[in-house]
Amino acid sequence: LVKPVFKQDWQLNHEQVELIQELGSGQFGSVYKGWLQVTPFRSKVLVAVKTLHEQHLNADDRIKFLKEANLMLKLDHPNVVKLYGVCASREPIMIVMEYCASDSLENVVTKKKTSNVEKANFLHGAAKGLEYLHHEKIIHRDIAARNCLIDSRGKVKISDFGLSVKGVEVKDQKGGRLPVKSMAPETLRRGLYSNASDVYSFGAMMFEVYNEGREPFGECNLDGNQLRRAIIHQKVVLSIGKHCPAEIVTLFDWCRQFDPKLRPSFTQVLEYLITIDGVPLED
Ligand code: ADP
């Protein structure tokens, strides 16, 4: 007797997805804008589709690529990019996600003039998504303005779970492509990742948002290793800039405390942000 195999609702057929246009290239292949026919009875929805390129078809890369989808599958929050599902029954393997029309937070703050209230609201949206992730016991590990996307209604969505892990505190001393400029001193020194190290990186993202997308420590002229040592030994301190509103400087300094125990949680970040006039904009 053959047992019936039920298809999970995250398992999509390639026929349900129509690629329209390439958006950019990701770590494992191209990312496309496309249409998804969720069911035959409903109209199509715009989606972003990550594809696994042929050169990454080895088992290791395939697992890494699908790990991101596996983690996203359980997530459901207005400030986190939604995963519709995965096409994995044949090549090319594809991850189908909510489409964020308006670009990354990095590009928005670099290219457009945004008011201080808009900036604080971007941070508020991101902090809401991150509070949810921490509640779900996920450490993002790569918080930066390039990994926050903005949808057509201006809502911030946390994206790129490529480095994310399940846990409250994890030790990982693997090297590789690491975002040193945003990383917490305890991560750089001992490979410790926690909710507090995400908060520290959120501080680096605050710097980007209030400095037109500029890189943290960009003016230091140090290579990755030199910067790593300088951060660990507190030889360099990131300053968000004099032009920044005083209440933002206070929050920035709180998030950037050297001792992880002294940093706020994202719940505290949110409690702080809503004391600012005009935050939150809507909900
Ligand atoms: P990877 O994490 O594999 O390196 P990214 O997440 O950086 O890939 O995606 C590459 C590009 O694709 C991004 O710069 C962005 O422009 C676009 N992109 C990714 N996800 C979405 C999305 N959900 N909506 C719109 N554009 C997206």
Side-chain angles (χ1 to χ4, degrees), residues 23-28 31 48 50 81 97-100 149 160:
L23 292 170
S25 59
Q27 194 191 341
F28 292 105
V31 182
K50 276 193 181 184
V81 170
M97 299 173 294
E98 166 181 17
Y99 177 64
C100 299
L149 300 176
D160 209 334

PDB file of all heavy atoms in Angstrom, residues 23-28 31 48 50 81 97-100 149 160, ligand 1:
ATOM      1  N   LEU A  23      16.156  41.518 -10.389  1.00  0.00           N
ATOM      2  CA  LEU A  23      16.252  42.656  -9.460  1.00  0.00           C
ATOM      3  C   LEU A  23      17.690  42.883  -9.014  1.00  0.00           C
ATOM      4  O   LEU A  23      18.093  43.998  -8.714  1.00  0.00           O
ATOM      5  CB  LEU A  23      15.418  42.391  -8.199  1.00  0.00           C
ATOM      6  CG  LEU A  23      13.909  42.359  -8.353  1.00  0.00           C
ATOM      7  CD1 LEU A  23      13.268  41.852  -7.066  1.00  0.00           C
ATOM      8  CD2 LEU A  23      13.395  43.751  -8.686  1.00  0.00           C
ATOM      9  N   GLY A  24      18.432  41.819  -8.923  1.00  0.00           N
ATOM     10  CA  GLY A  24      19.802  41.951  -8.436  1.00  0.00           C
ATOM     11  C   GLY A  24      20.378  40.568  -8.269  1.00  0.00           C
ATOM     12  O   GLY A  24      19.715  39.575  -8.589  1.00  0.00           O
ATOM     13  N   SER A  25      21.637  40.535  -7.769  1.00  0.00           N
ATOM     14  CA  SER A  25      22.163  39.198  -7.553  1.00  0.00           C
ATOM     15  C   SER A  25      22.431  38.985  -6.081  1.00  0.00           C
ATOM     16  O   SER A  25      22.899  39.878  -5.374  1.00  0.00           O
ATOM     17  CB  SER A  25      23.411  38.969  -8.395  1.00  0.00           C
ATOM     18  OG  SER A  25      24.367  39.910  -8.038  1.00  0.00           O
ATOM     19  N   GLY A  26      22.085  37.810  -5.618  1.00  0.00           N
ATOM     20  CA  GLY A  26      22.280  37.448  -4.223  1.00  0.00           C
ATOM     21  C   GLY A  26      23.466  36.518  -4.110  1.00  0.00           C
ATOM     22  O   GLY A  26      24.185  36.268  -5.086  1.00  0.00           O
ATOM     23  N   GLN A  27      23.657  35.986  -2.920  1.00  0.00           N
ATOM     24  CA  GLN A  27      24.808  35.133  -2.635  1.00  0.00           C
ATOM     25  C   GLN A  27      24.810  33.865  -3.491  1.00  0.00           C
ATOM     26  O   GLN A  27      25.853  33.383  -3.906  1.00  0.00           O
ATOM     27  CB  GLN A  27      24.748  34.767  -1.148  1.00  0.00           C
ATOM     28  CG  GLN A  27      26.014  34.183  -0.612  1.00  0.00           C
ATOM     29  CD  GLN A  27      25.792  33.603   0.784  1.00  0.00           C
ATOM     30  OE1 GLN A  27      24.828  33.939   1.480  1.00  0.00           O
ATOM     31  NE2 GLN A  27      26.674  32.717   1.193  1.00  0.00           N
ATOM     32  N   PHE A  28      23.609  33.318  -3.758  1.00  0.00           N
ATOM     33  CA  PHE A  28      23.517  32.016  -4.430  1.00  0.00           C
ATOM     34  C   PHE A  28      23.014  32.088  -5.864  1.00  0.00           C
ATOM     35  O   PHE A  28      22.944  31.075  -6.539  1.00  0.00           O
ATOM     36  CB  PHE A  28      22.596  31.082  -3.635  1.00  0.00           C
ATOM     37  CG  PHE A  28      23.180  30.681  -2.313  1.00  0.00           C
ATOM     38  CD1 PHE A  28      22.697  31.231  -1.134  1.00  0.00           C
ATOM     39  CD2 PHE A  28      24.228  29.775  -2.232  1.00  0.00           C
ATOM     40  CE1 PHE A  28      23.232  30.867   0.091  1.00  0.00           C
ATOM     41  CE2 PHE A  28      24.778  29.405  -1.020  1.00  0.00           C
ATOM     42  CZ  PHE A  28      24.285  29.954   0.145  1.00  0.00           C
ATOM     43  N   VAL A  31      18.116  37.314  -8.101  1.00  0.00           N
ATOM     44  CA  VAL A  31      16.833  37.556  -7.441  1.00  0.00           C
ATOM     45  C   VAL A  31      15.935  38.242  -8.476  1.00  0.00           C
ATOM     46  O   VAL A  31      16.367  39.183  -9.150  1.00  0.00           O
ATOM     47  CB  VAL A  31      17.011  38.461  -6.193  1.00  0.00           C
ATOM     48  CG1 VAL A  31      15.687  38.659  -5.490  1.00  0.00           C
ATOM     49  CG2 VAL A  31      18.036  37.858  -5.229  1.00  0.00           C
ATOM     50  N   ALA A  48       9.093  38.395  -4.825  1.00  0.00           N
ATOM     51  CA  ALA A  48      10.524  38.383  -5.132  1.00  0.00           C
ATOM     52  C   ALA A  48      10.956  36.918  -5.076  1.00  0.00           C
ATOM     53  O   ALA A  48      10.553  36.191  -4.173  1.00  0.00           O
ATOM     54  CB  ALA A  48      11.292  39.210  -4.116  1.00  0.00           C
ATOM     55  N   LYS A  50      14.131  34.255  -5.116  1.00  0.00           N
ATOM     56  CA  LYS A  50      15.575  33.988  -5.054  1.00  0.00           C
ATOM     57  C   LYS A  50      15.830  32.660  -5.720  1.00  0.00           C
ATOM     58  O   LYS A  50      15.157  31.674  -5.417  1.00  0.00           O
ATOM     59  CB  LYS A  50      16.035  33.891  -3.597  1.00  0.00           C
ATOM     60  CG  LYS A  50      16.332  35.218  -2.969  1.00  0.00           C
ATOM     61  CD  LYS A  50      17.075  35.038  -1.656  1.00  0.00           C
ATOM     62  CE  LYS A  50      17.344  36.393  -1.040  1.00  0.00           C
ATOM     63  NZ  LYS A  50      18.148  36.319   0.182  1.00  0.00           N
ATOM     64  N   VAL A  81       9.903  40.213   6.179  1.00  0.00           N
ATOM     65  CA  VAL A  81       9.563  39.760   4.825  1.00  0.00           C
ATOM     66  C   VAL A  81       8.931  38.371   4.895  1.00  0.00           C
ATOM     67  O   VAL A  81       9.474  37.461   5.512  1.00  0.00           O
ATOM     68  CB  VAL A  81      10.820  39.718   3.919  1.00  0.00           C
ATOM     69  CG1 VAL A  81      10.532  39.031   2.598  1.00  0.00           C
ATOM     70  CG2 VAL A  81      11.315  41.123   3.654  1.00  0.00           C
ATOM     71  N   MET A  97       9.215  35.032  -2.067  1.00  0.00           N
ATOM     72  CA  MET A  97       8.969  35.921  -0.923  1.00  0.00           C
ATOM     73  C   MET A  97       8.092  37.105  -1.308  1.00  0.00           C
ATOM     74  O   MET A  97       7.975  37.443  -2.484  1.00  0.00           O
ATOM     75  CB  MET A  97      10.296  36.524  -0.457  1.00  0.00           C
ATOM     76  CG  MET A  97      11.335  35.567   0.000  1.00  0.00           C
ATOM     77  SD  MET A  97      12.868  36.464   0.288  1.00  0.00           S
ATOM     78  CE  MET A  97      13.282  36.992  -1.350  1.00  0.00           C
ATOM     79  N   GLU A  98       7.579  37.738  -0.287  1.00  0.00           N
ATOM     80  CA  GLU A  98       6.859  38.992  -0.434  1.00  0.00           C
ATOM     81  C   GLU A  98       7.742  39.999  -1.187  1.00  0.00           C
ATOM     82  O   GLU A  98       8.936  40.095  -0.903  1.00  0.00           O
ATOM     83  CB  GLU A  98       6.567  39.489   0.986  1.00  0.00           C
ATOM     84  CG  GLU A  98       6.118  40.889   1.120  1.00  0.00           C
ATOM     85  CD  GLU A  98       5.900  41.254   2.609  1.00  0.00           C
ATOM     86  OE1 GLU A  98       6.395  40.528   3.495  1.00  0.00           O
ATOM     87  OE2 GLU A  98       5.233  42.244   2.857  1.00  0.00           O
ATOM     88  N   TYR A  99       7.155  40.746  -2.112  1.00  0.00           N
ATOM     89  CA  TYR A  99       7.918  41.718  -2.886  1.00  0.00           C
ATOM     90  C   TYR A  99       7.902  43.073  -2.182  1.00  0.00           C
ATOM     91  O   TYR A  99       6.842  43.591  -1.825  1.00  0.00           O
ATOM     92  CB  TYR A  99       7.307  41.841  -4.290  1.00  0.00           C
ATOM     93  CG  TYR A  99       7.972  42.877  -5.135  1.00  0.00           C
ATOM     94  CD1 TYR A  99       9.302  42.728  -5.508  1.00  0.00           C
ATOM     95  CD2 TYR A  99       7.283  44.008  -5.567  1.00  0.00           C
ATOM     96  CE1 TYR A  99       9.931  43.680  -6.276  1.00  0.00           C
ATOM     97  CE2 TYR A  99       7.904  44.964  -6.348  1.00  0.00           C
ATOM     98  CZ  TYR A  99       9.228  44.798  -6.701  1.00  0.00           C
ATOM     99  OH  TYR A  99       9.856  45.748  -7.459  1.00  0.00           O
ATOM    100  N   CYS A 100       9.071  43.654  -1.990  1.00  0.00           N
ATOM    101  CA  CYS A 100       9.165  44.976  -1.366  1.00  0.00           C
ATOM    102  C   CYS A 100       9.551  45.974  -2.446  1.00  0.00           C
ATOM    103  O   CYS A 100      10.705  46.019  -2.875  1.00  0.00           O
ATOM    104  CB  CYS A 100      10.196  44.965  -0.246  1.00  0.00           C
ATOM    105  SG  CYS A 100       9.759  43.803   1.049  1.00  0.00           S
ATOM    106  N   LEU A 149      14.175  46.024   3.927  1.00  0.00           N
ATOM    107  CA  LEU A 149      13.542  46.432   2.682  1.00  0.00           C
ATOM    108  C   LEU A 149      12.326  47.292   3.007  1.00  0.00           C
ATOM    109  O   LEU A 149      11.759  47.197   4.097  1.00  0.00           O
ATOM    110  CB  LEU A 149      13.129  45.200   1.873  1.00  0.00           C
ATOM    111  CG  LEU A 149      14.271  44.253   1.478  1.00  0.00           C
ATOM    112  CD1 LEU A 149      13.742  43.016   0.769  1.00  0.00           C
ATOM    113  CD2 LEU A 149      15.296  44.976   0.604  1.00  0.00           C
ATOM    114  N   ASP A 160      16.788  39.053   4.589  1.00  0.00           N
ATOM    115  CA  ASP A 160      18.093  38.409   4.546  1.00  0.00           C
ATOM    116  C   ASP A 160      18.440  37.647   5.828  1.00  0.00           C
ATOM    117  O   ASP A 160      19.184  38.134   6.687  1.00  0.00           O
ATOM    118  CB  ASP A 160      19.191  39.427   4.216  1.00  0.00           C
ATOM    119  CG  ASP A 160      20.332  38.734   3.501  1.00  0.00           C
ATOM    120  OD1 ASP A 160      20.501  37.512   3.709  1.00  0.00           O
ATOM    121  OD2 ASP A 160      21.047  39.380   2.731  1.00  0.00           O
TER     122      ASP A 160
HETATM  123  P1  ADP B   1      21.461  37.461  -0.773  1.00  0.00           P
HETATM  124  O1  ADP B   1      21.043  37.550   0.650  1.00  0.00           O
HETATM  125  O2  ADP B   1      21.313  36.078  -1.351  1.00  0.00           O
HETATM  126  O3  ADP B   1      22.802  38.042  -1.018  1.00  0.00           O
HETATM  127  P2  ADP B   1      19.788  39.712  -1.198  1.00  0.00           P
HETATM  128  O4  ADP B   1      18.753  39.469  -0.151  1.00  0.00           O
HETATM  129  O5  ADP B   1      20.868  40.692  -0.886  1.00  0.00           O
HETATM  130  O6  ADP B   1      20.428  38.346  -1.602  1.00  0.00           O
HETATM  131  O7  ADP B   1      19.061  40.142  -2.528  1.00  0.00           O
HETATM  132  C1  ADP B   1      19.712  40.706  -3.654  1.00  0.00           C
HETATM  133  C2  ADP B   1      18.912  41.885  -4.209  1.00  0.00           C
HETATM  134  O8  ADP B   1      17.587  41.445  -4.542  1.00  0.00           O
HETATM  135  C3  ADP B   1      18.723  42.981  -3.165  1.00  0.00           C
HETATM  136  O9  ADP B   1      19.675  43.979  -3.302  1.00  0.00           O
HETATM  137  C4  ADP B   1      17.335  43.522  -3.479  1.00  0.00           C
HETATM  138  O10 ADP B   1      17.440  44.581  -4.398  1.00  0.00           O
HETATM  139  C5  ADP B   1      16.608  42.393  -4.163  1.00  0.00           C
HETATM  140  N1  ADP B   1      15.617  41.780  -3.249  1.00  0.00           N
HETATM  141  C6  ADP B   1      15.826  40.761  -2.381  1.00  0.00           C
HETATM  142  N2  ADP B   1      14.701  40.435  -1.729  1.00  0.00           N
HETATM  143  C7  ADP B   1      13.739  41.270  -2.184  1.00  0.00           C
HETATM  144  C8  ADP B   1      12.332  41.447  -1.880  1.00  0.00           C
HETATM  145  N3  ADP B   1      11.718  40.668  -0.984  1.00  0.00           N
HETATM  146  N4  ADP B   1      11.651  42.410  -2.538  1.00  0.00           N
HETATM  147  C9  ADP B   1      12.293  43.201  -3.445  1.00  0.00           C
HETATM  148  N5  ADP B   1      13.592  43.090  -3.764  1.00  0.00           N
HETATM  149  C10 ADP B   1      14.314  42.140  -3.161  1.00  0.00           C
END
